[in-house]
Amino acid sequence: MSGANGECAGDALSFNPAEMDKIIRQIVDKVRANYFQNGESGRGIPGEVKRTIEASIDRV
Amino acid sequence: MLIEFIKIVNWRSFYGSNDIVVSKDPTRNVTLIRAENGVGKTSLLAAINWCFFNILPSESEFEDPKSLVNKFAAEQDGATRTTVEIDFRHEGKSYRAARAYDQPSQATQPLRLTELDDGGEVPSSKDRPDRFINSVIPREMAPHFFFYGEATSRYTGASGARKFGEAVKGILGSTVARMALDDLKKTWQDYNRSASDNTSAEAQAAERGIEEAAERIARYRDDLLKLDEEIEAASGRMDRLNQELAGAKPAKDAQARRASIEARLAAKDSEKSKALQRAQTWTQSFLTSVLAEELVREAAEVIKSEDTRGKLPAPYDQKFVDEILEDEMCVCGREIVKGSAEYDRIKKLLDTAGDQAVMSRVMSTNSALGKFGEKAAHAWGVYERNNDDLRTVEGEIVRLDADLVEISKELAANPITDIAEKEAARERAKNQRNQAMSRKVDIQSAINGFERQKADYESKRDELIKKSEAARRYVKRAQLAAALTARLEGRLKAEEEGARAAIEGEIDAIVQKFMRKPATVKLDKDYQLRLFDERGVEIAKSTGENQLLGLAFTGAIAKYAKERQEDVDDILLPGTVAPLVVDSPFGHLDPLYRRGVAEFLPSLASQVILLVSTSQASDVVMTTLADRIGDEYVLTRHNRGDGAGKQAETIEVRGESYDLTAYGSEFEGTRITEVR
């Protein structure tokens, strides 16, 4: 879990790169909307990021 | 974005309403604004930044930032407001951005944005003008378009590299992706915490240990940034005092000697780093052979002592020899009877004959051992030479340091108080810089300690949660968050590397064309901008060369942003076309470099506004810019007094005379006059 690619020793998972890029795009789109709405000083949106991951976890 | 028109009303030193029409001609894309010191160049640059982004320069460059309304207008005309309006074109439409400031309440009005149709204002659909401006010129890119030229000469050292790095990231529009990265890291951390909470108290304790170590590391990193700023500020003070001392006649000679010694010292420091590097390389290259020296000697002895005399050498044809024995007949025709002395001799030779594979292994081992031996014999000579080099260069550094101390004492003892005071101030700045540098080393070492501690806790936590069934659900999510973080980081790094290489290429082309000495530019992965000579040896940069490189960098990123304006990318913001507004770009430059900057800046940006003093607008600058100037203005400082005998300053432009300073005027303040 602490590995650069998210591996946990002895229990490594590999994720589909294309699916990961789709999730990254969804997350960046949400952050971009938040940035244009609230500027750079606006609070982050980890909750939204979590929701995106939850929605995609079975797909990757 | 292209600026069309600027109107400032009672802004700082500017009295009344002043207009500037900015050139939009793509071939004559320079608008030149000439003014002497203290008349309003920096104020004009500040007006643009303030109108668009509500940003004012730091107080060291912009005194009394709460007093924005022109004092004469306030006192004589009762003016309470100042306004700045900028008309600009963006994606086929014209807009007017306006901001006002109310002096009595010291309130800055929000940005007002209207669309222009045939010069008239029409209501805009932009409900949040600041957001719209941010999408035209992202705030992160703005400091690289509207800036103070001489500041670029300070882009050296760690903080300079950080600024270059920030500029490249800014111009790439990676802010949003970086914010996404922060959110992903928080999410990852959150899943880790949930996994630990669902495992055991021991895992929770490890998680707390990780978080505490991470917090300390973050705090220390902030401290490092502050120290970089301290070092930069102290270096800036030293530079300024160096210049002042060099300009004072009684200190000029000592200061010139100091500059020369410091240049030699910088070269010696670089030699010392190389000698240290060679010493480190020695360990990698020779340590194994030196440690194995005895073993090699013994192994060689064993191989040598193996008696090969009288043995049938390999390779040999066993079948052929076997047939001789079988036929009992030698190749020479003599009989070899079974049981005879000859027969037994050949049989014995066969028994002790070397096997081809074994012999070949022995030979290659022998050769490898020989190489090891040679390397070990050579190692100590290299070691001594490295040590000698290091001792020599360290001795030279000590001598040069002592010379510098002497010069400092000489200046501190100068009977002219001003010089002694400046030298004392310079020493204080130097001490502050050295102390900050030493604190940086301590902090870095503390960070390394906490990094190790964090890694230990992480490995412990990972071991524990791996065994927990209840944590499984969170482990998978944490792994995905970690993988997404790593992937996004990797993609950003690749984008930044592309930008860095493109910008490096552009600066290098400028250096090849304009720099006096043959040199190659490297913008390394840490964004340190370095110059190398033809032999690949790094060369020190003068203040003027630093300014030239800083401006080349700015021009290069403006060009890169322009090239990226149509880029559609899922993680980055597209680039932008924006005017380059530069205050005092020619300050530290000599005629050759002035000509270079005057030539390359207009060719890199779509629109350039240059704010220059008369001395900066030298013949060489004006000749080079002649075909690129679309509009030209002079700022005139008006004084009501008669100047008490001071000469009015004027300037001749294309046969016409313009006032730079006027006395006996009806008002106090600056006015803008268009050059016809």
Side-chain angles (χ1 to χ4, degrees):
Chain A
M1 201 147 59
S2 47
N5 292 310
E7 303 97 2
C8 182
D11 189 21
L13 280 178
S14 62
F15 300 103
N16 180 335
E19 288 297 334
M20 284 209 289
D21 282 342
K22 278 187 205 163
I23 303 173
I24 286 174
R25 184 172 197 138
Q26 286 173 26
I27 291 171
V28 172
D29 280 348
K30 285 179 181 171
V31 174
R32 187 181 289 126
N34 182 53
Y35 170 69
F36 283 126
Q37 190 69 23
N38 302 309
E40 213 172 327
S41 56
R43 290 162 65 90
I45 50 165
E48 281 290 322
V49 172
K50 212 168 181 178
R51 268 192 285 281
T52 312
I53 288 178
E54 291 292 339
S56 321
I57 192 76
D58 295 326
R59 231 173 350 107
V60 293
Chain B
M1 170 205 267
L2 288 179
I3 294 180
E4 297 182 308
F5 179 74
I6 302 169
K7 179 193 274 293
I8 52 175
V9 181
N10 290 328
W11 169 260
R12 297 282 283 188
S13 58
F14 292 91
Y15 173 69
S17 178
N18 286 275
D19 300 342
I20 296 172
V21 175
V22 183
S23 174
K24 299 195 302 295
D25 184 335
T27 50
R28 290 181 169 271
N29 63 343
V30 175
T31 300
L32 188 73
I33 300 170
R34 291 148 72 122
E36 296 306 70
N37 293 337
V39 174
K41 293 194 296 295
T42 306
S43 280
L44 198 50
L45 174 69
I48 297 171
N49 260 318
W50 179 75
C51 177
F52 282 142
F53 301 104
N54 193 17
I55 296 173
L56 287 173
S58 64
E59 269 193 65
S60 60
E61 288 161 14
F62 197 77
E63 283 178 18
D64 201 4
K66 296 228 178 287
S67 181
L68 297 183
V69 175
N70 178 268
K71 285 199 168 64
F72 184 82
E75 285 161 15
Q76 300 296 318
D77 307 342
T80 57
R81 275 165 69 89
T82 177
T83 54
V84 177
E85 288 178 5
I86 302 174
D87 293 358
F88 62 93
R89 264 193 97 67
H90 178 64
E91 293 181 345
K93 286 185 177 176
S94 289
Y95 298 91
R96 174 167 296 158
R99 196 182 290 274
Y101 179 78
D102 182 63
Q103 191 63 62
S105 61
Q106 296 192 341
T108 302
Q109 308 296 323
L111 177 70
R112 201 167 65 89
L113 189 79
T114 43
E115 281 182 36
L116 297 177
D117 192 5
D118 283 338
E121 293 186 19
V122 290
S124 165
S125 57
K126 316 287 177 211
D127 58 344
R128 283 290 302 269
D130 51 342
R131 284 182 213 151
F132 175 68
I133 290 292
N134 199 19
S135 70
V136 176
I137 304 181
R139 200 183 166 90
E140 63 196 300
M141 298 184 192
H144 313 300
F145 289 106
F146 311 135
F147 67 101
Y148 179 59
E150 283 180 20
T152 59
S153 63
R154 295 184 215 137
Y155 279 13
T156 52
S159 60
R162 202 171 63 238
K163 279 184 188 138
F164 280 141
E166 281 165 6
V168 172
K169 287 169 194 163
I171 225 68
L172 255 183
S174 59
T175 301
V176 167
R178 297 206 162 271
M179 290 165 81
L181 208 49
D182 285 345
D183 284 342
L184 265 170
K185 284 178 183 166
K186 278 181 206 148
T187 309
W188 176 16
Q189 197 182 0
D190 206 28
Y191 281 130
N192 277 333
R193 203 178 297 121
S194 301
S196 299
D197 287 348
N198 282 280
T199 300
S200 63
E202 206 182 345
Q204 286 174 3
E207 192 64 49
R208 277 196 300 279
I210 295 166
E211 285 171 16
E212 277 167 25
E215 273 169 29
R216 279 170 186 257
I217 291 168
R219 274 207 300 275
Y220 277 132
R221 293 230 161 99
D222 283 346
D223 290 347
L224 279 186
L225 292 180
K226 281 180 202 143
L227 284 172
D228 277 340
E229 278 164 19
E230 264 182 52
I231 292 168
E232 186 189 16
S235 301
R237 282 200 299 280
M238 282 174 70
D239 283 349
R240 203 180 52 246
L241 289 159
N242 280 342
Q243 279 171 19
E244 286 173 14
L245 286 166
K249 213 173 173 188
K252 201 172 181 171
D253 171 56
Q255 190 56 31
R257 273 187 284 134
R258 172 147 67 192
S260 149
I261 292 172
E262 280 178 340
R264 271 154 56 204
L265 195 59
K268 292 292 162 198
D269 279 336
S270 154
E271 272 180 40
K272 187 182 168 186
S273 320
K274 281 179 193 148
L276 283 168
Q277 214 170 359
R278 281 200 299 277
Q280 280 165 357
T281 318
W282 182 90
T283 316
Q284 287 161 10
S285 311
F286 295 105
L287 194 64
T288 319
S289 47
V290 167
L291 289 175
E293 203 174 0
E294 200 169 332
L295 187 70
V296 167
R297 211 171 18 246
E298 282 177 16
E301 284 302 316
V302 170
I303 289 170
K304 259 190 211 162
S305 68
E306 184 74 15
D307 187 10
T308 52
R309 208 179 158 80
K311 287 180 183 171
L312 194 64
Y316 73 98
D317 193 331
Q318 188 171 2
K319 187 169 171 284
F320 178 69
V321 181
D322 282 345
E323 278 170 9
I324 289 175
L325 293 176
E326 219 175 282
D327 299 344
E328 299 187 351
M329 179 71 74
C330 178
V331 283
C332 63
R334 279 178 63 188
E335 236 183 323
I336 304 171
V337 183
K338 197 169 182 178
S340 69
E342 288 84 2
Y343 185 96
D344 289 346
R345 170 117 181 102
I346 294 172
K347 193 90 176 92
K348 196 177 167 200
L349 272 173
L350 270 187
D351 290 344
T352 57
D355 171 82
Q356 187 182 350
V358 172
M359 284 302 276
S360 148
R361 271 186 225 133
V362 168
M363 279 163 72
S364 53
T365 309
N366 209 15
S367 148
L369 289 175
K371 279 182 195 154
F372 253 115
E374 273 172 34
K375 214 168 179 183
H378 182 54
W380 294 111
V382 176
Y383 182 80
E384 283 303 322
R385 257 201 316 282
N386 283 348
N387 267 357
D388 284 348
D389 289 351
L390 199 56
R391 273 195 296 271
T392 309
V393 76
E394 279 176 344
E396 283 164 359
I397 288 172
V398 168
R399 272 195 299 283
L400 290 171
D401 273 335
D403 290 348
L404 285 177
V405 170
E406 283 308 311
I407 291 174
S408 185
K409 279 184 190 162
E410 184 186 322
L411 285 167
N414 193 296
I416 300 170
T417 323
D418 188 41
I419 288 175
E421 278 173 3
K422 282 193 171 119
E423 183 55 27
R426 189 190 175 281
E427 268 308 287
R428 278 197 301 278
K430 190 179 166 186
N431 287 338
Q432 276 168 0
R433 189 190 63 177
N434 292 349
Q435 279 170 13
M437 285 166 127
S438 145
R439 283 212 303 279
K440 255 186 89 172
V441 173
D442 294 343
I443 289 178
Q444 190 54 56
S445 143
I447 288 176
N448 295 345
F450 282 113
E451 296 272 18
R452 278 194 297 274
Q453 202 181 76
K454 184 167 163 267
D456 289 345
Y457 277 128
E458 279 172 346
S459 125
K460 188 175 176 188
R461 177 205 55 197
D462 290 354
E463 275 304 307
L464 291 167
I465 60 175
K466 200 169 67 179
K467 294 173 195 152
S468 161
E469 195 57 42
R472 191 170 297 274
R473 168 186 150 76
Y474 301 106
V475 170
K476 188 181 174 190
R477 281 155 178 78
Q479 284 176 333
L480 178 57
L484 291 169
T485 304
R487 192 165 180 84
L488 183 53
E489 262 174 348
R491 287 181 58 189
L492 266 178
K493 205 171 267 180
E495 295 281 1
E496 280 166 18
E497 176 51 27
R500 190 202 57 73
I503 289 165
E504 179 188 76
E506 195 66 53
I507 303 173
D508 194 48
I510 290 169
V511 164
Q512 299 299 328
K513 191 167 177 193
F514 297 107
M515 198 165 263
R516 182 170 287 112
K517 49 197 177 198
T520 310
V521 166
K522 287 265 173 270
L523 185 63
D524 67 19
K525 63 181 175 45
D526 297 321
Y527 297 100
Q528 288 273 5
L529 194 59
R530 299 176 197 276
L531 274 186
F532 294 88
D533 69 10
E534 288 155 313
R535 292 168 298 142
V537 177
E538 187 173 355
I539 41 184
K541 307 185 287 292
S542 68
T543 309
E545 284 166 344
N546 266 320
Q547 188 175 355
L548 179 79
L549 287 171
L551 288 164
F553 177 83
T554 305
I557 60 172
K559 187 179 174 197
Y560 188 71
K562 190 166 67 175
E563 286 168 355
R564 282 194 64 251
Q565 66 170 319
E566 304 298 337
D567 272 13
V568 179
D569 191 292
D570 61 341
I571 61 167
L572 303 173
L573 299 173
T576 188
V577 170
L580 208 52
V581 185
V582 196
D583 176 13
S584 303
F586 304 107
H588 295 303
L589 305 179
D590 63 19
L592 181 71
Y593 291 170
R594 285 182 177 193
R595 190 177 68 76
V597 170
E599 192 176 325
F600 72 69
L601 271 190
S603 65
L604 293 175
S606 304
Q607 188 182 43
V608 183
I609 301 176
L610 296 177
L611 301 141
V612 297
S613 63
T614 314
S615 64
Q616 289 193 20
S618 57
D619 287 347
V620 68
V621 167
M622 294 312 292
T623 310
T624 314
L625 283 178
D627 294 337
R628 304 304 298 255
I629 297 174
D631 284 296
E632 191 171 347
Y633 296 87
V634 171
L635 306 190
T636 309
R637 167 71 203 183
H638 289 269
N639 300 285
R640 286 211 294 175
D642 62 4
K646 282 185 208 154
Q647 287 283 318
E649 294 171 293
T650 57
I651 183 175
E652 285 271 323
V653 186
R654 294 191 281 280
E656 287 282 326
S657 178
Y658 296 87
D659 287 337
L660 290 167
T661 315
Y663 297 102
S665 303
E666 290 177 355
F667 58 90
E668 291 272 340
T670 299
R671 297 285 302 168
I672 301 176
T673 310
E674 188 177 358
V675 173
R676 298 274 173 200

